[in-house]
Amino acid sequence: MALQVELLEASFARIKERQTDFTDCFYAILFKDYPDVKPLFAHVSMDDQSKKLFDSLALVVRGLRNPEALMEPLKGLGTRHVQYGAVPAHYPAVGATLLQAFANILQEDWTSEVEWAWANAYSIIAQIMLEGSEYPPELLQPKALVERASL
Ligand code: HEM
């Protein structure tokens, strides 16, 4: 995995200082830009959910120096997401939302290098999660993902 560990760690340390602002911002953008995903979260406590999202990002950042150890947990997370109603096309939507929320919180520290590092990290994470899920192959084609990313 070609990841820019130091950039990811340093930028995430800044996000950590503003954890609640970050998660509030993330879900506000997600539900505004992709209202179709809202029903998936209807029964979920958003406080708990925000904490879980943040903890999973923290876990990934902590694991970056030993990425092999992240493979099985991320595949398992992907498997569980099939039960949650997530489909492959949701992954680019969540990725775009994540980058936007980072940008809002980091402001001038959201440089193009940091953006690239997170975009790359997210696409690797999403790919591993998707490997752990059993979607029909046609749903995993890049074309299908792009077409449905504007859900
Ligand atoms: C890198 C991508 C993602 C990460 C790291 C992530 C992380 C998590 C974590 C840690 C949980 C808590 C439950 C568990 O551990 O199984 C969760 C729950 C959930 N995620 Fe994600 N997620 C990602 C992508 C997505 C996508 C693309 C969707 C689709 C909209 C989604 C929708 C949900 C929903 C609906 C739940 C609540 C499940 C429930 O309690 O019923 N997630 N996510």
Side-chain angles (χ1 to χ4, degrees):
M1 275 193 225
L3 287 169
Q4 291 185 285
V5 177
E6 271 135 41
L7 274 184
L8 295 168
E9 283 176 346
S11 52
F12 195 69
R14 296 281 322 284
I15 296 284
K16 239 177 176 163
E17 293 161 7
R18 298 186 51 201
Q19 176 170 345
T20 310
D21 289 344
F22 167 73
T23 49
D24 287 353
C25 181
F26 173 84
Y27 286 107
I29 298 170
L30 185 68
F31 296 151
K32 179 174 153 291
D33 288 355
Y34 306 99
D36 289 27
V37 304
K38 223 172 165 177
L40 273 59
F41 294 90
H43 62 288
V44 176
S45 144
M46 287 316 290
D47 281 350
D48 288 353
Q49 178 62 27
S50 297
K51 198 173 172 314
K52 286 178 191 165
L53 168 82
F54 193 86
D55 290 348
S56 70
L57 288 176
L59 191 81
V60 168
V61 173
R62 271 203 307 278
L64 289 172
R65 290 183 188 272
N66 181 16
E68 284 308 307
L70 289 174
M71 297 292 283
E72 288 313 311
L74 285 177
K75 282 187 188 172
L77 187 61
T79 309
R80 296 198 295 280
H81 274 71
V82 181
Q83 315 300 323
Y84 303 155
V87 297
H90 288 143
Y91 281 81
V94 166
T97 304
L98 195 68
L99 298 190
Q100 188 58 57
F102 278 143
N104 287 0
I105 299 294
L106 292 177
Q107 303 272 330
E108 69 280 359
D109 291 330
W110 183 246
T111 60
S112 50
E113 286 82 7
V114 176
E115 180 176 4
W116 188 88
W118 275 104
N120 185 39
Y122 181 83
S123 81
I124 293 170
I125 293 166
Q127 206 177 314
I128 299 169
M129 286 176 67
L130 287 168
E131 275 172 32
S133 46
E134 290 184 4
Y135 292 110
E138 63 275 14
L139 277 186
L140 295 171
Q141 296 304 313
K143 191 164 170 285
L145 295 182
V146 171
E147 275 170 6
R148 299 219 38 224
S150 56
L151 284 170

